[in-house]
């Protein structure tokens, strides 16, 4: 499926005195029946949204989850709304916002570029040539350029979309919007990401923010804490000490909110269509310096949530536009054969909800079961004992019981790595490699702290954010996870603690259990004597680390890339499907 990592956002401009309130349709448990999935009963949200003069719905980091989450294991049903349902939701919300029946055709009022549009030049070019023009000036890339040839064949660097947009909401409020990308360094050649520090000094930037709008809308693919939003915020504040500033961030996949002052709010709305963010603000008179009344909410994207907040029933909810998006997505899924079933998973396998190692750990399944089985197929080296090592970050999403499809393979294991090997390493040496790799992160942590931080910040710059997301899950479990789960009156889901006032989650949940896992995982060592020669197999992504460690645990030979060869034509992103065909049929 297409991998979109836009900081997608649209505004529901301006409405006062309209409040959603729970109608009779919403006071009981709903059963979803429109689609075959999911069959779970969903409980409705706790309370109506607070509407303001400006009301904004925000999604970010949706990646491939356009068809919604389709599995029946909890908490997946809570995120089961697909893009069509979302479109219907937006249409209804826009009607409420305007109090009339004229629908805006444009689903997103503003979109901002993300890092995933920049890893491959052809994708950036597609955004520049085909996508941005459709958004009619609302696809924002304030600090991201692409290099192309102009009509005369000259090489020029130009913004991928627009650097900023000025527009009026449907009720006449003036908006100045920007779309900012964090200091991303993993971009392809012929794309340029300007540092945020430099962007805020540009003349075009100062010109764009000079005129005072009714509010600034700062969208962007950049986390709301521990990143560079304050630079943009301060640059605006320096000129407009009182103007409301609404910030919508993303990238680290968490739910988060912070207020840089009493007349601004910054919201981040999770990932993978597991969260739809809501922000509203009641504007006051020009020149006021009082704190503004903001609200924010993290919605679980499913039809129950959507129907509750739009006061619709299942029969009245779908709009024609929403239905056509849902069916278009299904056709797309069919044309990519995403429903192809490799086998039936006997249980859930998770990345962080089960201990590592354990039977429920996806990392255990991958390293000790799936990879050894799959790499032995059609392999002339299959009867030479081996040890296989991978990085745990290669598994991206939990694998749920039931049919394991091509779509599930994409979501669980999207990264394409080759399997390499070094032959004739003695077992005694090869067996030290995995523990040594992982110890580099624990035992010697003190000594290595600077180095680790440097590596983490380098990875962060290149777009890896799992460490932030994992830490977030760990913290929410530590904050009374055991007690909340034991109470049994809350369903599993996110439990958010952010820096904004009041409770942010739309539905009260108990957090998922969290278990840490090592950075590197491996197959079960073969039962051979220490001096037996074996194959040391690993994913290409970690070649340099393997060589480095191998040259630390022994000094008899200086291993280099010249000792490394391809072990198998099988790629890492196909392992789970091939395994399912063998083991789950
Ligand atoms: C979340 O999922 C669980 C399990 O399917 C379900 O019981 C619960 O009602 C769901 N919550 C919401 C808000 O949909
Ligand atoms: C981006 O493109 C504009 C317009 O061509 C150009 O003036 C600017 O220097 C470019 N910025 C960067 C950082 O390349
Ligand atoms: C960048 O694009 C220009 C124009 O297409 C091309 O001439 C140049 O070779 C490209 N540079 C790189 C490093 O690919
Ligand atoms: C607020 O008032 C000042 C001074 O009258 C004016 O310059 C500015 O444009 C006004 N702002 C808006 C958003 O109307
Ligand atoms: C982004 O880069 C600039 C310039 O190197 C630096 O000052 C700033 O701290 C960086 N931001 C982050 C969040 O690392
Ligand atoms: C884990 O799986 C193995 C093999 O199927 C089985 O023998 C063992 O009992 C399982 N352990 C647990 C704790 O379920
Ligand atoms: C193994 O070889 C058979 C016969 O050539 C082929 O059909 C099959 O796709 C191969 N499997 C893998 C995993 O390469
Ligand atoms: C394997 O390594 C041993 C030393 O550890 C060496 O004596 C032997 O020649 C090597 N065999 C091959 C095929 O490289
Ligand atoms: C769950 O039950 C506990 C007491 O066991 C209570 O304090 C809490 O408010 C309840 N939470 C919800 C969401 O009903
Ligand atoms: C390992 O091999 C030895 C010798 O062949 C055998 O006695 C032992 O039972 C094996 N251990 C396991 C765990 O298979
Ligand atoms: C090992 O080989 C690499 C690549 O040839 C070389 O750069 C390095 O200096 C060598 N190290 C030792 C200890 O010989």
């Amino acid at each position: 499926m297409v991998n979109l990592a836009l900081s997608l956002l649209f505004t529901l401009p301006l409405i006062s005195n309209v409040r959603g309130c729970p109608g009779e349709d919403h006071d009981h448990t709903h059963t979803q029946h429109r689609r075959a999935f999911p069959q779970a009963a969903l409980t409705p949200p706790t309370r109506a949204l607070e509407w303001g003069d400006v009301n904004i719905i925000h999604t970010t980091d949706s990646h491939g989850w356009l068809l919604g989450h389709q599995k029946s294991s909890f908490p997946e049903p809570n995120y089961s709304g697909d893009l069509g349902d979302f479109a219907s939701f937006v249409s209804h919300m826009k009607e409420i916002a305007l109090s009339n029946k004229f629908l805006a055709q444009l689903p997103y009022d503003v979109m901002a570029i993300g890092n995933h549009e920049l890893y491959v030049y052809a994708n950036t070019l597609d955004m520049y040539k085909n996508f941005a023009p459709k958004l009619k000036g609302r696809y924002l890339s304030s600090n991201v350029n692409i290099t192309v040839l102009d009509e005369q064949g000259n090489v020029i660097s130009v913004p991928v979309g627009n650097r900023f947009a000025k527009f009026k909401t449907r009720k006449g409020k003036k908006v100045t919007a920007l779309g900012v990308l964090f200091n991303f360094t993993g971009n392809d050649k012929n794309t340029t990401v300007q540092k945020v520090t430099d962007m805020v000094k540009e003349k075009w930037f100062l010109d764009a923010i000079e005129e005072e709008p009714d509010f600034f809308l700062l969208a962007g693919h950049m986390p709301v804490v521990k990143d560079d939003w304050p630079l943009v915020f301060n640059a605006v504040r320096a000129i407009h000490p009182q103007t409301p500033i609404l910030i919508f961030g993303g990238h680290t996949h968490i739910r988060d909110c912070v207020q840089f002052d009493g007349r601004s709010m910054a919201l981040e709305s999770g990932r993978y269509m597991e969260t739809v963010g809501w922000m509203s603000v009641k504007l006051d008179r020009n020149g006021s310096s009082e704190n503004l009344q903001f609200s924010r909410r993290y919605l679980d994207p499913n039809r129950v949530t959507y129907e509750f907040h739009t006061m619709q029933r299942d029969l009245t909810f779908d709009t024609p536009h929403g239905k056509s998006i849902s069916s278009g997505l299904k056709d797309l899924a069919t044309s990519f054969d995403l429903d192809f079933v490799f086998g039936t998973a006997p249980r859930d396998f998770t990345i962080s909800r089960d201990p590592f190692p354990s039977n429920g750990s996806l990392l255990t399944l991958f390293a000790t079961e799936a990879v050894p089985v799959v790499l032995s197929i059609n392999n002339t080296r299959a009867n030479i004992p081996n040890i296989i090592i991978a990085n745990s970050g290669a598994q991206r999403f939990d694998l749920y019981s039931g049919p394991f499809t091509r779509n599930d393979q994409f979501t669980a294991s999207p990264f394409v790595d080759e399997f390499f090997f070094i032959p004739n390493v003695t077992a005694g040496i090869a067996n030290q490699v995995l523990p040594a790799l992982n110890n580099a992160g624990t035992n010697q942590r003190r000594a290595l702290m600077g180095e680790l931080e440097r590596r983490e910040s380098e990875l962060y710059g290149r777009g890896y954010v799992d460490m932030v997301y994992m830490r977030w899950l760990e913290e929410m479990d530590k904050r009374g996870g055991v007690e909340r789960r034991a109470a049994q009156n809350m369903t599993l889901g996110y439990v958010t603690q952010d820096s904004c006032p009041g409770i942010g989650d739309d539905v009260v949940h108990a957090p998922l259990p969290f278990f840490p896992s090592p950075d590197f995982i491996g197959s079960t060592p073969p039962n051979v004597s220490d001096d037996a020669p074996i194959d040391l197999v690993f994913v290409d992504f970690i070649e340099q680390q393997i060589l480095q460690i191998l040259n630390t645990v022994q000094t008899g030979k200086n291993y280099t890339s010249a000792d490394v060869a391809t072990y198998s034509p099988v790629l890492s992103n196909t392992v789970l499907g091939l395994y399912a065909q063998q083991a789950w049929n």
Side-chain angles (χ1 to χ4, degrees):
M1 277 178 94
V2 209
N3 226 14
L4 287 181
L6 308 165
S7 198
L8 303 179
L9 146 127
F10 65 87
T11 58
L12 284 173
L14 186 68
I15 184 62
S16 47
N17 304 326
V18 180
R19 283 178 55 87
C21 56
E24 52 175 10
D25 292 336
H26 306 290
D27 296 335
H28 55 85
T29 296
H30 288 235
T31 306
Q32 281 205 313
H33 47 75
R34 191 183 63 119
R35 286 188 298 273
F37 63 88
Q39 300 296 341
L42 299 180
T43 46
T46 41
R47 61 213 189 275
L49 295 168
E50 291 163 55
W51 290 72
D53 300 311
V54 178
N55 305 287
I56 295 184
I57 294 174
H58 177 222
T59 68
T60 185
D61 295 73
S62 41
H63 290 246
W65 264 263
L66 304 184
L67 276 166
H69 292 239
Q70 306 175 15
K71 300 296 176 178
S72 56
S73 297
F74 57 82
E76 291 298 280
N78 294 328
Y79 317 130
S80 56
D82 71 12
L83 201 68
D85 297 332
F86 184 60
S88 300
F89 174 62
V90 171
S91 299
H92 290 302
M93 293 291 273
K94 286 204 169 195
E95 283 176 49
I96 295 174
L98 205 60
S99 306
N100 71 26
K101 292 278 170 188
F102 294 104
L103 304 184
Q105 285 308 302
L106 192 68
Y108 282 95
D109 290 333
V110 170
M111 287 193 192
I113 198 165
N115 52 308
H116 281 269
E117 290 87 299
L118 300 173
Y119 287 101
V120 177
Y121 179 79
N123 294 347
T124 321
L125 190 65
D126 184 47
M127 299 308 282
Y128 169 72
K129 274 193 180 157
N130 304 317
F131 190 80
K134 289 207 187 83
L135 272 279
K136 299 189 170 67
R138 302 289 183 86
Y139 180 65
L140 301 181
S141 63
S142 302
N143 58 335
V144 185
N145 274 18
I146 181 168
T147 302
V148 290
L149 295 178
D150 70 6
E151 278 155 17
Q152 284 74 46
N154 303 314
V155 177
I156 52 166
S157 172
V158 289
V160 180
N162 282 57
R163 281 170 159 170
F164 63 91
K166 293 189 182 190
F167 56 96
K168 278 191 178 162
T169 68
R170 290 178 297 168
K171 288 284 179 76
K173 295 286 175 191
K174 285 184 285 178
V175 186
T176 296
L178 296 164
V180 185
L181 182 64
F182 74 100
N183 276 359
F184 177 51
T185 57
N187 54 309
D188 203 355
K189 54 188 182 315
N190 271 337
T191 69
T192 315
V193 180
Q194 186 180 36
K195 301 278 190 241
V196 181
T197 7
D198 297 327
M199 179 196 78
V200 298
K201 292 177 203 143
E202 290 265 356
K203 181 169 187 313
W204 73 260
F205 176 84
L206 297 169
D207 288 347
I209 64 169
E210 184 180 359
E211 183 190 10
E212 188 189 18
D214 290 301
F215 63 94
F216 283 94
L217 182 62
L218 310 183
H221 203 74
M222 180 155 76
V224 297
V225 299
K226 296 200 187 130
D227 214 300
D228 285 336
W229 276 120
L231 294 174
V232 191
F233 174 83
N234 290 336
V236 173
R237 268 288 170 264
I239 300 169
H240 304 290
Q242 262 108 44
T243 314
I245 302 179
L246 282 58
I247 299 176
F248 296 88
H251 187 56
T252 41
H253 293 176
I254 68 175
R255 295 178 171 185
D256 206 359
C257 181
V258 62
Q259 289 188 277
F260 297 133
D261 66 15
R263 295 180 66 78
S264 67
M265 181 176 268
L267 182 73
E268 187 173 338
S269 307
R271 62 161 203 181
Y272 299 174
M273 288 301 281
E274 294 170 349
T275 300
V276 167
W278 162 267
M279 187 196 292
S280 73
V281 57
K282 297 194 169 103
L283 298 179
D284 53 7
R285 69 187 159 75
N286 182 358
S288 165
S289 56
E290 314 254 297
N291 288 351
L292 282 168
Q293 200 181 328
F294 279 97
S295 83
R296 60 86 181 69
R297 196 79 66 79
Y298 308 104
L299 312 185
D300 290 347
N302 59 60
R303 289 172 65 90
V304 175
T305 295
Y306 293 159
E307 289 170 20
F308 178 94
H309 289 303
T310 56
M311 293 160 287
Q312 298 291 320
R313 275 170 284 181
D314 219 27
L315 287 176
T316 60
F317 176 71
D318 294 292
T319 64
H321 188 48
K323 276 207 276 203
S324 83
I325 289 178
S326 296
S327 75
L329 282 169
K330 271 185 218 118
D331 293 346
L332 192 66
T334 307
S335 71
F336 283 106
D337 205 10
L338 293 180
D339 292 334
F340 176 82
V341 177
F342 291 112
T344 306
R347 57 167 297 160
D348 294 349
F349 297 92
T350 76
I351 290 175
S352 59
R353 256 189 272 167
D354 291 87
F356 176 87
S358 76
N359 286 358
S361 163
L362 178 61
L363 302 178
T364 301
L365 174 79
F366 184 78
T368 65
E369 303 280 332
V371 176
V373 166
V374 169
L375 291 192
S376 69
I377 302 172
N378 298 347
N379 194 326
T380 53
R381 300 190 71 86
N383 46 23
I384 300 170
N386 64 30
I387 186 158
I388 311 171
I389 300 176
N391 58 314
S392 53
Q395 302 312 303
R396 200 86 207 276
F397 196 71
D398 299 340
L399 192 165
Y400 290 99
S401 74
F404 180 70
T405 64
R406 197 182 300 282
N407 193 44
D408 300 329
Q409 182 176 252
F410 272 120
T411 60
S413 225
F415 301 108
V416 185
D417 287 314
E418 271 194 80
F419 287 94
F420 286 171
F421 81 117
I422 300 173
N424 197 27
V425 180
T426 57
I429 299 294
N431 284 336
Q432 292 174 46
V433 172
L434 179 62
L437 278 168
N438 281 323
N439 278 346
T442 52
N443 283 0
Q444 306 153 345
R445 187 170 284 274
R446 237 229 195 99
L448 283 174
M449 209 56 192
E451 171 63 9
L452 278 176
E453 268 170 18
R454 195 198 53 75
R455 217 179 90 198
E456 194 166 295
S457 93
E458 184 194 312
L459 285 172
Y460 184 88
R462 280 157 46 199
Y464 295 94
V465 293
D466 275 5
M467 55 272 189
V468 179
Y469 177 73
M470 287 293 169
R471 236 175 260 147
W472 184 60
L473 290 185
E474 184 168 21
E475 277 162 20
M476 80 174 66
D477 183 30
K478 279 193 178 141
R479 275 195 320 267
V482 171
E483 295 77 7
R484 287 176 83 98
R485 286 190 292 275
Q488 295 200 328
N489 57 355
M490 288 167 274
T491 58
L492 288 174
Y494 292 125
V495 183
T496 310
Q497 194 171 70
D498 59 24
S499 317
C500 291
I503 293 172
D505 295 319
D506 195 38
V507 176
V508 180
H509 288 296
L512 301 164
F514 180 89
F515 295 93
S517 48
D519 290 341
F520 300 90
I521 52 181
S523 59
T524 311
N527 184 16
V528 294
S529 64
D530 273 359
D531 56 2
I534 69 169
D535 286 342
L536 177 63
V537 184
F538 49 90
V539 289
D540 62 14
F541 185 72
I542 60 173
E543 177 181 340
Q544 288 316 313
Q545 283 142 303
I546 291 277
L547 289 173
Q548 206 183 328
I549 289 288
L550 198 49
N551 287 331
T552 318
V553 296
Q554 60 81 47
T555 47
K557 176 176 163 58
N558 181 20
Y559 284 96
T560 69
S561 294
D563 299 302
V564 176
T566 298
Y567 186 73
S568 158
V570 170
L571 299 173
S572 62
N573 64 332
T574 64
V575 164
L576 290 174
L578 290 168
Y579 175 73
Q581 282 179 321
Q582 288 255 320
W584 294 342
N585 263 313

